[in-house]
Amino acid sequence: MKKLYLSKTDRKLLGVCGGIAEMLGVDSTIVRLIAVFLCLITGVLPLVITYLVAAMIIPSKPEGQP
């Protein structure tokens, strides 16, 4: 079972979208485009707050894990 971690290698800001992409096994660009699309539809503030909360809640990948 795959776990969600912040990405250390595929990050633009805090690694949330990269971590989601790694967990789902998809390209991180697709996850980022979906995030931008949702941001435009729902307004900027809700997605920014969600992103920051996710960055605080999602743990970093432990050392030694692939």
Side-chain angles (χ1 to χ4, degrees), residues 1-5 19-26 61 65-66:
M1 187 164 120
K2 293 184 180 183
K3 291 194 132 203
L4 177 60
Y5 295 110
I20 292 171
E22 288 175 6
M23 184 190 75
L24 296 175
V26 297
K61 187 179 284 188
Q65 282 198 341

Side-chain angles (χ1 to χ4, degrees), residues 3-8 11 14-16 18-20 22-23 52-63 65:
K3 291 194 132 203
L4 177 60
Y5 295 110
L6 294 175
S7 177
K8 291 183 180 182
R11 63 188 330 168
L14 299 172
V16 175
I20 292 171
E22 288 175 6
M23 184 190 75
L52 293 174
V53 168
M56 289 187 284
I57 292 174
I58 298 172
S60 296
K61 187 179 284 188
E63 295 297 323
Q65 282 198 341

